[in-house]
Each structure stands twice: as C-alpha cells, then as structure tokens.
Amino acid sequence: MRFDVPVVFDSGTKRFDRKTLDQAIQMISIAPEGWYLVVKNPASDKSHPRTGALNNLPNLDTGRKVNIPGPVSFALWPGQMVRVLQGHHLRSNQYLLVRVYDEEAAKTNWKNAVIKPQKTGEGEPEGEGIKHLEALPDLTMGNLLVIRGTEVSFYIPPTGVEVVPDVDGNYVREAVTLERLEYCILLDENGSKRFIVGPDVVFPKPTEVIVRMRGSRKFRAIELNENSGLYLKVIAPYEENGVAYKVGDEIFLTGRDTMIYFPRTEHAIVKYGDQEKHHAVAIPAGEARYVLDRMNGKISLVRGPAMFLPDPRREVIVRRVLDPKTVALWFPGNREAYEHNRRLAAQSAPPLTADAGALSAPAPAQAKAPAGAPAAAKAASGAIATRETQAPPPPPNEFAGDDFNRNQNFTGPRTIVLDTRFEGAVAIDVWTGYAVLVVSKTGERQVVSGPHTRLLEYDENLQVLELSTGTPKSDANLYKTVYLRTLNNKVTDVVEAETLDLVRVHLQLSYRVNFEGDPARWFEVENYVKFLTDHLRSLIRHAVKRHGIEHFYANAVSVLRDIVLGTVGEDSKRPGRRFDENGMRIYDVEVLEVAIGDETIAELLVQAQHAAVQQTLQLAAEQRRLEATRQSESIGQQIAELQSQTRQKQSGLKTLEVEQLLRHQLAEQAAKIELHERQQTALLTEQERVGTIHQAELARRKAAQELELSLAQQKLEQKLRELAAEVSAVAEKAHAVSPDLIAALQAFGDKALAGKMAESMAPLAILGGESVSEVLSRLLRGTPLARLLEAKAVEASKT
C-alpha cells in the first residue's frame, strides 16, 4: 500500500524533510515595491507554480540565481530557495560593494538593474554618474564594483550581480566624510596607498581598504609652528617645487615651511618612541645646551636666550654626566646636583651609532606600522586596515557645528614653569673675588674671574687646586677645590724661629693675599698656600736670627711687617711682597701672637718690662705736674691781656657809632633832595606826554570826520549815477514803444472789453427783446468801441 507524505525542502541541509500536513504549508514569496527576490535554482522556463491548480515539476537550473525586483509574488518550486531583500537606499556619503557571480548573466542583465539617480541640490540628476553606470564595466567573474551614493540614490542589482555585506551583515556601507584639516588612508591590494585630504567624501576602490586606527578611519592633519617640526624619510622618488627627491633622502619639515602638514605617499615619519613632532627647547638667557653633530661627532654649545629646534638629521641634544668627585669640586654642598648626575649615570644609555640619532634608552617593543604610514596611522598597537565599516554611533544631542566656547569665569593667560637647572650645559657661577681655570681637551686654557657665569663646553674641565690646611700649614690633609680666592684671601700660619741669643719664639701670623697681574699665571702654582708659607717661614727665621730676644720681643710687630711687607716708602705705604711665579701679592699681615719658648726668659723679660713701666710712670707724673704749673700761669697772663683788649675795643666802638650816626643823617637829607628832583622831573615828563596824546587824539578825530565826509560824498555821487541810469532806462523804454504797438495793444484791449461786455449784457438783451450788439451800440455810442462794434457787424453780414 502506498501513502503520500508531505515533504519540505530544507535550504540549510539541501534535503527534503518529511513534515506533517500543517508543517508542509509554506508562504508565498512576496516582494513589495522597492524590494527584490534572490531566487536560487530557478525554473528553466522561468515559470512559477499556479495557484489553485495541479502543477507539474519543471526542470530547475540548479546552482543558478536570479534577481527579481518587486512588486512580485509567487510560490516556490520544490528545491528552490529565496531571499527577500529590501532595495538599497543610498545617501550621498554611502556606497555599495557588488560582486559579479555570473559573468554571462551579468552582461545580459546589466541594463535591467533598478537604478535611481542621485539628485543634486537643484533637483536634477547627475547625468555623468548615470552614464557611467549604464556603460558596461568589467564584469569578469569575481570582479568587485563600487556603487556610489553620489551617483545612485536607490539600487537593485541585476541577475549575475550580488551586493556584498560587511562583517556585520550591513549592505550599505559608510563612506569617509572628511572635513577640513582631516585626511584618510586607502590601502590597495598591491600595497600602494592613497592619502585623501578633506573636505571630501571618500569612496574606496573595490581593491582598497580603509586604514583604521583605534576605531577611527579619518585623522587630523599635523599642525606645525616655527618651534616644531617633522622628521621625514623619502620612500619614493618625487619632485616638488623644482627639487628632486630620491629614495632615502631625509627632510626636516618645520612650521616655517608649512603650517599644516598632510601626509603623502612618498613620505614616512621617523619617530623616536611615540614622539612624532619635534619641539623646540627653551633656552633662557645665561643657559645653553650641548648639541652633537651626528655627522662629524662635534659637540657645540647653543646659548640662550633662544628657542632652539634641533635638526634631527644631524643635531642631537646631549647631556653631560659629571662623576661624584667632579660634582663635589664644582658644586660643593649641592646635593641636588649630586643626585641628578647620579641618576643620569645610572640610566642605561645605548651606544651612539650612525643611524641611532639620539642618546636615549631603547623604547619598548612596538608593532610596526606599514612603511610610509603617516604619524597618526602609526600607533603602539599598529594600524588596522579593514574593508568592513562599523555603524556610526548615534549623534549626540549637543550642537556639532563650528562654535566658540568661552569660559564664564576669568581665564588667565597660558603659563608654563621652566625648571632648566639640570637640563642644559654645565654652568659655573664664579663669585666675586674668585677665579677658575677652564681647560679644554685640546689644550686651550682660560681664566674666568667673578662675578661671572661660565657655560662649559662639552670637553672643558676646571683645573683642580690642592691647598695645604691646618696650622701650621702642611701637606698632611690637602683641600681640593677649583675656585681660587683672588681678592682678600686670608692665610694663617705658625712660625717657629730662634733669636740671636738662642731663644725660641712662637709666631702666629695672618697674611692678606691678592692675586694681581696676568690671570694666566694665577694657576701656575698648584698649592699656593704651601708655596707662600714655606717661603715666608724661611725669610722670618733668617730675620729673627739677627735680633736679640729683648729687642725682638719689644719690636716684634714692626720687625715682622718689615720682613713680610717691606719698609715704609716715601708715600708712607709698604710695597707688600709679590710672588712673580703666580702673581700673588701679600698686601697686609697681622701678628696674632708672639710667644717665647723659654718660660724663665719670658718671666725675666716681663719683670724688666714692669720695672721700666714703673720708672716711666713716675717720670710721667712729674712731667704732668710741671706742665700743669706752666699752663696755670700762662692762663692768668692771657686773662689780663684779654681784659685790656676788651676796654680798648669798647672805646673804639663808641667812636664808630657816632660817626655812623652822622653819615646816616647826611644820607637821609641827600635822599630827600634827590627824591624831590625826581618827582618834579617825572611831573614835567607826564605833562609833555599828556599834550602829545591830546594832539594825537585831535588828529584822529579830524581824520575820522574827513573819512566820513568822503564816504558821504561817494554815496551821494553813486545815488546820482543810479538815478541818471534809471531815467535813461525809462526813456529808452518809452522810445521802444511804437505807435503801431500802442494801437495794437489798444485794439486788443477793446476787443477783450467788448467780449466781456457782451457776456454781461446778454441777459439784458434777452429781457428787452434786442440783440446784444444793439444794446452795446446804444450804450457805447460816441466811443471808440462803437466803431469796433460796427466793424464786427459788417464782417458778420459778409459771412
């Protein structure tokens, strides 16, 4: 017995599965307007099952696909598969990636694609884009084509062509919309790149992918200024502005050349670590930086104030590391300098090679970006090139256009803090009264005297002095320093000497020393303290040996000053002791202590000194008494003389007073007489001046009256001339009026008067039963107007 069992074709397993009758019921495939069906295994005769009738299974073209645009609906033959897809709507910044899967079908049906052209802002389609799509492209099997939203607003592919979705299943892909100062990178399958600069909408070619970095497909241009630059490597030959660049050339591009840099295919940015831009270093006044020339190894000193932007092709800023001993000598007591140099020395610095370009620790391993990728496309994790695009995030609610943001509160100016104490060249501050000797490795020497700040070259060092210490000075404990005290230097020493009578004395002296003359000789003696004390010990011992203890002890200070400083000259000054070996001069000496080595002799000297002091005191007392008596008598004599002189002066003063009073009275009388004479003279002068003024005033009045009379005469003459002119004008006008003109005017006036009178007499004539002419003739009989009326009547009768 046979049973009919319903089956359903499973598109996943490509097999017919048995189903129940309810499960075997399938929906008809429907594609509304703007949708299309992708049918696999179509019927050879392109037929579809008829609804409500028994259908015979036709032959199917297994393995083929056809695209059927809507509106359409039909049932499927067993073994067929269908997908209902919405037509692809494109904005101007979207595109489709389509692939040819059947070359013959694509060529046959290419013009059957549903294409709606994209309209411009004026509503007109872009004709060039439509012509481009209507032309038959390369439809080789597997070839990829790009349908741009700038040309097409709606697209349904023809049979033989399918739209390729991205990794997220989206058919419509987003193009890259670039604003100003933005660019994107397109990587082709052959490894070449294209850099597109905005503003633009970028559609990749079918073989190109968009380089992405950290999820972004577009990057900002690099802004440069005069204090920043980019280190570029030429990776492909090109020519620009008449300059030819070959592969391997290096370019250092700064803001002076271009303020905004967009990458190009011929350039690759050379980075050290994550640093893309090279920035200038601020060098304040009084500071400097060591700059190494990579080509010849020379290290030069760049001094401030300056904004120094090193050229990385050949210039590298280096730091100088000082060992702890040098730091202690050059910067005594400076703990910060010691720690800084210790940290620099502890850093592991790689060996400098010809292509290293910088003295820095090796950067951690990083993924390499493709050669020639721009700075923004080289990240620590590498640049990712992908064909697929992700859906853009939802737009924010804030305003996204160009705007200006201004703080409501006060915004202070941009401020930076420069702490360059240990960043630049080694600086030696030489204080007032000190000097240092700078020695280079080439043998050059220079003495620097304070106050001054000296910036050391990279190969320069300071001469070290080793000075004796202690009292007396010895070489047991030497003090090392690079600073020579050149002014008001103080050296203290103890000298043991022996007098002529074999008595040992202990001398403690303090020398005041200056360095004078040629500074180049100041550092000729390494231990000038030992050199000074040894020489003076010899001189003092020799001089003390020539004096007995009593004489020397009484005159120790003067004897020692004569030995050290020389005797007093004519200018009452001592010349001092000069050392030609290093320009050192002792300008003063202080005798701090003179002690006798034998206590017994010292006690005898003290006793003898006491006795001498007593005798001296007694003589001084007698001398003071004698002097007091002499002064007392002298004072009495002086008092008497002064009293006599006082009386004489009083008498002379009275005489002088009388004479002065008489001269005063005579002077008063003479002044009164002279005053009266001057008053009379002034009064006479005043009267003469008044008379002169009166005469001048009379003359002015006379001149004014004459002027007024002259003006009145001129006005009268002008008035007469005007009257004569008016009379003449009237006469000329009268002559101009001819008799004919007068007659014409009179006739014209008579006619006008007759017309007016006719109008006025018309009602009277009507009332009297007469014509107007008759009434007027009767009224005007005997007047010139009567003749005019008669003439008018004759003319009327003729007509």
Side-chain angles (χ1 to χ4, degrees), residues 260-303:
I260 304 295
Y261 173 74
F262 289 95
R264 53 188 302 166
T265 57
E266 298 87 0
H267 287 173
I269 294 182
V270 181
K271 298 198 302 181
Y272 296 105
D274 293 333
Q275 180 183 0
E276 298 171 353
K277 288 196 296 185
H278 295 257
H279 297 278
V281 177
I283 306 178
E287 297 186 11
R289 295 291 186 274
Y290 294 120
V291 180
L292 170 66
D293 192 330
R294 295 172 51 194
M295 303 304 173
N296 54 26
K298 181 181 178 181
I299 298 179
S300 59
L301 200 64
V302 178
R303 302 176 182 272

Side-chain angles (χ1 to χ4, degrees), residues 47-111:
S47 64
H48 303 289
R50 292 176 294 172
T51 305
L54 183 64
N55 296 279
N56 294 323
L57 184 64
N59 294 327
L60 302 179
D61 290 338
T62 305
R64 292 187 178 276
K65 292 190 300 183
V66 293
N67 298 336
I68 304 175
V72 66
S73 65
F74 54 83
L76 298 178
W77 294 110
Q80 286 185 334
M81 294 175 286
V82 68
R83 284 190 301 161
V84 181
L85 299 177
Q86 185 180 8
H88 306 288
H89 296 270
L90 299 176
R91 297 194 303 272
S92 61
N93 62 342
Q94 294 177 333
Y95 69 99
L96 296 175
L97 187 64
V98 299
R99 179 171 55 217
V100 179
Y101 66 84
D102 189 340
E103 182 175 346
E104 295 299 330
K107 291 180 180 179
T108 302
N109 299 287
W110 178 253
K111 293 186 178 181

Side-chain angles (χ1 to χ4, degrees), residues 449-521:
S449 300
H452 186 74
T453 298
R454 171 60 187 269
L455 298 174
L456 298 183
E457 298 286 348
Y458 195 80
D459 62 338
E460 289 182 339
N461 289 291
L462 301 181
Q463 179 70 34
V464 180
L465 300 174
E466 295 183 348
L467 306 180
S468 298
T469 59
T471 305
K473 294 293 186 288
S474 65
D475 297 336
N477 184 18
L478 296 177
Y479 172 70
K480 294 184 178 181
T481 183
V482 296
Y483 298 98
L484 173 65
R485 183 72 179 264
T486 59
L487 297 177
N488 306 321
N489 201 347
K490 184 178 180 180
V491 178
T492 303
D493 191 23
V494 173
V495 181
E496 298 288 342
E498 188 178 60
T499 60
L500 183 61
D501 42 12
L502 305 180
V503 178
R504 299 191 63 82
V505 292
H506 176 86
L507 307 175
Q508 185 174 358
L509 307 174
S510 177
Y511 308 108
R512 301 301 177 111
V513 181
N514 283 343
F515 284 82
E516 301 173 350
D518 186 10
R521 303 180 61 86

Side-chain angles (χ1 to χ4, degrees), residues 171-311:
Y171 291 98
V172 178
R173 302 167 183 257
E174 298 291 334
V176 180
T177 302
L178 298 178
E179 301 178 11
R180 292 191 182 275
L181 301 181
E182 290 184 342
Y183 67 96
C184 70
I185 310 166
L186 301 178
L187 177 62
D188 204 338
E189 291 177 353
N190 59 8
S192 62
K193 287 189 179 69
R194 284 196 303 145
F195 295 89
I196 310 299
V197 178
D200 197 359
V201 178
V202 181
F203 299 95
K205 295 179 181 179
T207 57
E208 290 179 331
V209 293
I210 301 173
V211 176
R212 302 171 67 92
M213 186 190 73
R214 300 187 184 96
S216 177
R217 302 182 299 165
K218 56 184 180 179
F219 316 106
R220 297 287 293 180
I222 300 177
E223 179 189 5
L224 300 176
N225 54 40
E226 294 184 355
N227 297 325
S228 61
L230 291 175
Y231 185 15
L232 306 175
K233 192 85 169 182
V234 178
I235 58 176
Y238 71 100
E239 184 174 351
E240 184 179 23
N241 298 329
V243 180
Y245 298 93
K246 60 181 182 299
V247 176
D249 288 346
E250 293 182 348
I251 302 172
F252 185 54
L253 189 67
T254 66
R256 299 184 182 93
D257 307 315
T258 176
M259 303 297 286
I260 304 295
Y261 173 74
F262 289 95
R264 53 188 302 166
T265 57
E266 298 87 0
H267 287 173
I269 294 182
V270 181
K271 298 198 302 181
Y272 296 105
D274 293 333
Q275 180 183 0
E276 298 171 353
K277 288 196 296 185
H278 295 257
H279 297 278
V281 177
I283 306 178
E287 297 186 11
R289 295 291 186 274
Y290 294 120
V291 180
L292 170 66
D293 192 330
R294 295 172 51 194
M295 303 304 173
N296 54 26
K298 181 181 178 181
I299 298 179
S300 59
L301 200 64
V302 178
R303 302 176 182 272
M307 292 297 295
F308 176 64
L309 179 61
D311 189 342

Side-chain angles (χ1 to χ4, degrees), residues 17-71:
D17 296 335
R18 294 181 179 182
K19 302 289 184 180
T20 64
L21 188 59
D22 293 337
Q23 293 175 343
I25 298 175
Q26 301 184 48
M27 296 295 295
I28 295 176
S29 300
I30 301 175
E33 184 71 34
W35 293 62
Y36 68 99
L37 299 177
V38 180
V39 181
K40 291 185 178 180
N41 305 327
S44 300
D45 57 357
K46 300 182 181 180
S47 64
H48 303 289
R50 292 176 294 172
T51 305
L54 183 64
N55 296 279
N56 294 323
L57 184 64
N59 294 327
L60 302 179
D61 290 338
T62 305
R64 292 187 178 276
K65 292 190 300 183
V66 293
N67 298 336
I68 304 175

